[in-house]
Amino acid sequence: MGKLFGTDGIRGEANRYPMNAEIAFKVGQTVAYLFKKNSHRAHVVIGKDTRISGYMLESSLEAGHYLHGRRSLSGWCVATPGIAFITQSMRA
């Protein structure tokens, strides 16, 4: 498996493509679909920083995930290493 945490990923200005609620929703759907397709029972951990846009993106990501009947753990303002620790300790 490749790099799990770091600066890779979707980047951009908040509320402008590709860093908007629609893309976050679709990412949530895709992750849930892929986990369901592969019969994974994995939990998804969603972390954010203190920027206000984090709440919008978190909610959209979570909504897309829930659409496929999957659950996620979210609501934490935590630095990336903290999310890595939580993910590993919860076997998410």
Side-chain angles (χ1 to χ4, degrees):
M1 184 173 280
K3 186 175 181 180
L4 296 177
F5 295 94
T7 59
D8 295 340
I10 303 168
R11 299 175 143 265
E13 188 176 332
N15 217 20
R16 291 194 182 175
Y17 181 86
M19 189 58 79
N20 59 22
E22 180 182 0
I23 296 298
F25 182 78
K26 289 179 180 180
V27 168
Q29 285 184 297
T30 302
V31 168
Y33 171 78
L34 291 173
F35 282 175
K36 193 172 190 176
K37 181 179 175 186
N38 295 325
S39 300
H40 286 211
R41 284 278 176 203
H43 298 287
V44 172
V45 176
I46 302 172
K48 62 182 177 289
D49 60 22
T50 58
R51 290 175 282 187
I52 194 76
S53 58
Y55 295 94
M56 170 195 67
L57 296 170
E58 173 190 35
S59 296
S60 298
L61 185 61
E62 200 169 32
H65 202 69
Y66 279 133
L67 187 67
H68 287 277
R70 308 301 289 187
R71 74 179 197 148
S72 56
L73 309 167
S74 62
W76 299 309
C77 285
V78 175
T80 301
I83 292 297
F85 176 78
I86 292 165
T87 301
Q88 185 176 23
S89 68
M90 296 185 77
R91 298 179 61 192

